[in-house]
Amino acid sequence: MTNDFKENLLNYFVGNMPRETGTADEIIKKLEEIPERNFKSFLPNSWNDFKFEGILKDKLTSNVILYGGYKDTSNNPYGIIMILSQDFKPLKTYYRYESGTRLRYVMAMNQDDDGTFYLLNCDGYPVDENVSFQTSEKKFMIVNNFVQEGKLIIRKSYIFPEDYKNFYAYKIFKDVNSANYCFVGKMLTLNSASGYYNYDEIRIIALKVE
């Protein structure tokens, strides 16, 4: 351990590290609103509720992916995956897999280095906390690179056991050197004092795919 390192460590603990003041240079070169009409033909014709859970940058192209779900006018929950260009112009929307099966609500999604996508979906809708996330089946799926192949194909799927139904996943990660996946999220629990359900317990789940 060098003297410089010791000095920096001591300064860190006593709060004497130099403050970053940022820059006065202009960093925003362009700011504009994306018209809603650009998305009209890429969204369901009608719905009672709609939510995008997250966005990904495709590792093999310049495109980006939005994912989430919606409830139709009969309050049936479904999933949606949308591909956009790098300047956020919609290119294609997936509501079904190539087999014809409709997407379930996509809670979390990520992409492997080879372009393969993996996700966790459920048969509920996150707004309906006191209903859907007590009984919502969670399913892990590996799918193809639908961005480049132009179709969405299920490669593998795994249904989580019953005691994971109250799990709300925020992030999924994969070990680049193995078939080990990690899910980070919260657990829906009943607050006995208020009578309401809250996501107040962190839960981390590991899964290995054979």
Side-chain angles (χ1 to χ4, degrees), residues 36-208:
E36 183 181 352
R37 64 179 180 272
N38 290 5
F39 288 83
K40 190 171 183 180
S41 60
F42 294 89
L43 296 173
N45 292 328
S46 58
W47 67 83
N48 285 347
D49 213 334
F50 194 101
K51 184 179 180 182
F52 278 125
E53 282 282 354
I55 185 169
L56 288 176
K57 171 71 170 62
D58 180 43
K59 293 184 177 181
L60 304 183
T61 70
S62 59
N63 295 330
V64 295
I65 300 99
L66 286 169
Y67 60 87
Y70 65 99
K71 289 194 298 185
D72 65 12
T73 52
S74 298
N75 284 327
N76 297 309
Y78 297 109
I80 183 172
I81 298 174
M82 182 186 295
I83 304 172
L84 305 94
S85 64
Q86 62 181 345
D87 53 356
F88 294 96
K89 293 181 180 178
L91 301 175
K92 185 170 185 174
T93 300
Y94 289 99
Y95 299 104
R96 297 178 182 270
Y97 297 100
E98 186 70 9
S99 63
T101 302
R102 297 194 70 155
L103 271 70
R104 307 199 312 177
Y105 189 91
V106 183
M107 302 179 68
M109 176 186 283
N110 211 334
Q111 187 181 25
D112 204 350
D113 289 340
D114 64 359
T116 300
F117 288 88
Y118 49 95
L119 58 95
L120 187 70
N121 66 31
C122 65
D123 55 2
Y125 190 81
V127 174
D128 307 321
E129 294 181 353
N130 61 339
V131 178
S132 67
F133 279 84
Q134 293 179 72
T135 60
S136 177
E137 179 185 82
K138 305 300 185 298
K139 182 184 289 187
F140 171 70
M141 306 189 77
I142 300 175
V143 299
N144 66 315
N145 187 337
F146 52 84
V147 177
Q148 290 194 316
E149 297 179 23
K151 52 188 176 181
L152 183 58
I153 301 173
I154 302 172
R155 300 298 190 197
K156 292 183 180 180
S157 65
Y158 171 77
I159 298 175
F160 278 31
E162 291 283 323
D163 60 342
Y164 291 96
K165 285 188 173 181
N166 64 349
F167 177 62
Y168 194 117
Y170 290 107
K171 296 289 184 180
I172 310 177
F173 304 97
K174 180 182 179 294
D175 177 17
V176 296
N177 297 315
S178 69
N180 291 303
Y181 297 82
C182 178
F183 304 81
V184 180
K186 291 186 177 181
M187 187 166 57
L188 182 66
T189 56
L190 176 63
N191 186 317
S192 57
S194 66
Y196 291 100
Y197 286 85
N198 301 307
Y199 292 104
D200 57 2
E201 293 186 24
I202 295 174
R203 197 169 194 180
I204 300 174
I205 301 170
L207 172 69
K208 184 174 182 179

